[in-house]
Amino acid sequence: MNDLVQLVTRAEQLIGRLEQLLPRPAEAPDWAAAPAFLWRRRNGHAHLVPVTRPHGIRLKDLRDIDDQKERIDLNTRQFLAGRRANNVLLTGARGTGKSSLVKALLNAYAGKGLRLIEVDRDDLMDLPDIIELVQGRPERFILFCDDLSFEDAEPAYKALKSVLDGSVAAVPDNVLIYATSNRRHLMPEYHDENLQAKHVDGEIHPGEAVEEKISLSERFGLWVSFYPFSQDEYLEIVAYWLKSFGLERKAIEAARQEALQWALMRGSRSGRVAWQFARDWAGRFETGNAR
């Protein structure tokens, strides 16, 4: 009898361990804990992690992208007001403010009910689960996919495509998807794919491979492109950040040549590079090491 009891006990313990390994539905977090959340999947279990200290970038900190900022800001305000709005794809040069703009929108409108959920590319298969968690909530949610790109035949590609505009189930009105990418069509493009194009009555018809790659980006209602900065724009951003770090005009002017050399070494004149230089220069200025 004792052997049977021990056997049952061990079986129950084994079942309990197996249950811990089985995937289970994500539980809703404390929505009041933070304005932003990270979707994380570990050991088969998914959950939302609150971001109690989101990035403090502000809309006015983003320089020389006024047109892009205006278009996305307007779309976001329409969304917050309960009006029609589009999913947004932000593409273009690295370091030009794509992801910073999305973070700045959260800081601007968190008090009006905007919430941000950042989802890694590898977790895009979980989008339906995330949408189910937020459906019916009074807040307005942006599902944010940063630095998005895919290789051929990735399942996450089809998952995102389905959620954007290919599923029988409609996405609730309190959810939009904002994604950033350095690629306009989110997937690598090869020379031989262009050879598949056909000429019909003087018109060019892309091949099936090209059509497939274009089809995902076309499901975003709003495309916004970002471009590399000119030298003057780069220096203007450097000056803005140096001033925000407390440097006087004379010290800012003295940093001009160093800023250009910094960009040359980095191989880029971007907003990110300008901000990084300004932090370095301001730090050296405080310690008396700036030349």
Side-chain angles (χ1 to χ4, degrees), residues 241-242 244-247 251 278-291:
W241 283 115
L242 289 175
S244 71
F245 293 151
L247 272 68
R279 286 176 60 86
D280 178 79
W281 183 265
R284 286 191 285 151
F285 190 86
E286 291 169 355
T287 58
N289 293 324
R291 291 179 298 178

Side-chain angles (χ1 to χ4, degrees), residues 236-253:
E236 192 273 332
I237 298 170
V238 168
Y240 172 83
W241 283 115
L242 289 175
K243 183 177 180 181
S244 71
F245 293 151
L247 272 68
E248 300 294 336
R249 186 177 68 175
K250 186 176 181 180
I252 294 173
E253 292 175 351

Side-chain angles (χ1 to χ4, degrees), residues 27 42 57 59 73-74 101 106 112-113 129 138 161 175 189-190 218 221 240 287 289:
E27 297 181 359
R42 298 291 182 269
I57 191 78
L59 287 171
D73 181 50
L74 177 60
L101 179 49
L106 175 66
K112 296 183 178 181
D129 297 328
K161 187 175 177 181
V175 174
E189 300 178 43
Y190 304 106
E218 282 190 339
Y240 172 83
T287 58
N289 293 324

